[in-house]
Amino acid sequence: MTDALKEEQLNIPLAPSCHVKYYECLPSTNETAKEFAANGAEEGTVIVANHQTAGRGRLGRNFFSPDSGLYFSIVLRPSLNIEESLLITTAAAVAVCRAIETVTKQTALIKWVNDIFVNNKKVCGILCESSLKAGTNQLEYAILGIGINVTTPKDGFPAEISKIAGTLTEETENNIKNELFTEIITEFFSIYTTLTKKEFLPEYNRRMLLIGKTVSVCTAQGEKEVKVLGIDSNFGLKVQFADGSVSTLSSGEVTIGSNTMSQ
Ligand code: BTN
C-alpha cells in the first residue's frame, strides 16, 4: 500500500493565508497553479496532486510522477525582478532539505541549483516558473513546483533515471507525505518572509553536494571539467577550470554533468 496524502491533513500549514487545493491526478501542478495565478489566485494558493501525467522538469524535461511521490506547486506574488527569482528556487531547496532531515532524519544535500540528493541519489526536483508584469522585468507571479520521490514506484523507476533517482523511505504505512508537505511549506515561508536578505545563503552553500569535487559542466561552448568552489552572493556557481582560471556560472547557462535529468 502506498503512503497516501490525506486531504484533511493538508490544510494545516503554519504559513499565514496558505490554502491548499488537492487533486488525485493532474497533468502538472505547475500548469494548474499557473491557471489559478493567471485568474487572480492569491499568494499562498497551493496545488497538490497525488500523481501527475505530464510533470515538468527544468529545461523542458519530463518529471516522472507516479503516486509514490509528492507533487505540489505554490502561487507566489513576490516583489522581485526576474534576476532575483532564483532566490525562490534556492530558498525552496534549503526548505526541502530541512524538511527531509526533520521528517526522515537523513542528511539532504543540494546539487546546484535545484536538485536535492539523499544518499547520493536525487530525491527531489524544484521548478520555479515566472510571469512578468507587462513591459517590466518585475514578477507578476511565480509558481514554485516541488516534486519528491517518497517511496519506490510500484513498477520501479524508468531505466533512464533508475541510476540517479532515489527515495526517502520504503515504509509505506506511514504519514510521511503529509508530514513532509507541512514541513516544507512551513520552512519555505519562514525563509520567504525575508527572502532578499539572503540569510539562507550560507546554509545553501554548506549543503552543496559537489563542493571541492571535479565535475563536468555543459555550457553553450560544450562540456568542460571544472572544480566546484561554491556559490557567490547571487547563487552563481564559482568554478575553477583546468588552466586555473576562476569563473562564476549562472544557472541559466549550465547544467552539471549528464545526470541532471529530470524524472
Ligand atoms: C527538475 O528536476 O528538473 C524539476 C522538477 C520539478 C517537478 C515538480 S513536481 C510538481 C511541479 N509540477 C510540475 O509539473 N513540475 C513541478
Side-chain angles (χ1 to χ4, degrees):
M1 192 183 108
T2 307
D3 172 36
L5 279 167
K6 298 182 186 69
E7 188 171 5
E8 67 280 6
Q9 291 188 25
L10 292 174
N11 257 310
I12 50 172
L14 307 179
S17 72
C18 213
H19 47 275
V20 181
K21 297 181 191 304
Y22 171 77
Y23 298 82
E24 174 55 29
C25 180
L26 285 174
S28 156
T29 56
N30 263 34
E31 203 48 50
T32 301
K34 232 186 236 181
E35 285 160 20
F36 272 92
N39 286 310
E42 58 188 337
E43 173 157 285
T45 303
V46 187
I47 308 297
V48 189
N50 204 37
H51 59 114
Q52 300 181 115
T53 53
R56 285 208 298 263
R58 282 180 77 227
L59 309 171
R61 295 165 174 152
N62 294 328
F63 190 80
F64 181 59
S65 310
D67 67 3
S68 49
L70 170 62
Y71 316 100
F72 61 96
S73 302
I74 311 173
V75 175
L76 300 169
R77 296 189 181 276
S79 299
L80 295 179
N81 61 43
I82 188 67
E83 286 82 38
E84 294 168 318
S85 64
L86 189 61
L87 291 175
I88 298 172
T89 304
T90 49
V94 169
V96 170
C97 286
R98 290 181 188 171
I100 288 174
E101 289 182 0
T102 302
V103 174
T104 74
K105 315 289 179 234
Q106 300 176 89
T107 301
L109 298 173
I110 302 167
K111 181 164 169 227
W112 182 86
V113 59
N114 67 326
D115 290 336
I116 309 301
F117 276 58
V118 169
N119 295 324
N120 280 316
K121 298 272 188 174
K122 176 171 170 176
V123 296
C124 169
I126 298 167
L127 175 68
C128 184
E129 300 180 289
S130 307
S131 172
L132 299 181
K133 291 182 182 157
T136 74
N137 70 349
Q138 296 293 309
L139 298 193
E140 185 191 351
Y141 61 80
I143 305 299
L144 170 61
I146 296 176
I148 304 185
N149 307 327
V150 180
T151 57
T152 304
K154 73 174 178 324
D155 298 323
F157 287 105
E160 62 280 15
I161 58 168
S162 62
K163 286 206 168 68
I164 184 76
T167 57
L168 293 179
T169 179
E170 290 321 313
E171 283 175 35
T172 52
E173 309 265 339
N174 56 22
N175 201 26
I176 188 171
K177 283 192 194 178
N178 298 278
E179 286 174 21
L180 273 172
F181 177 79
T182 304
E183 281 296 322
I184 293 170
I185 295 275
T186 306
E187 291 289 358
F188 175 75
F189 278 99
S190 85
I191 300 174
Y192 183 70
T193 47
T194 56
L195 192 63
T196 51
K197 290 190 178 168
K198 302 183 189 175
E199 287 163 344
F200 63 100
L201 190 147
E203 182 174 347
Y204 185 102
N205 204 42
R206 243 188 351 264
R207 289 185 179 278
M208 276 185 59
L209 180 67
L210 297 172
I211 277 206
K213 301 253 162 53
T214 299
V215 297
S216 66
V217 291
C218 304
T219 69
Q221 289 77 45
E223 207 158 311
K224 293 209 163 103
E225 294 273 291
V226 296
K227 184 174 174 193
V228 176
L229 303 178
I231 45 163
D232 74 356
S233 58
N234 291 315
F235 294 90
L237 188 71
K238 288 190 287 186
V239 298
Q240 185 168 39
F241 291 96
D243 65 4
S245 62
V246 171
S247 178
T248 302
L249 306 174
S250 91
S251 62
E253 287 168 358
V254 293
T255 55
I256 301 180
S258 54
N259 58 1
T260 51
M261 70 169 54
S262 296
Q263 301 154 4

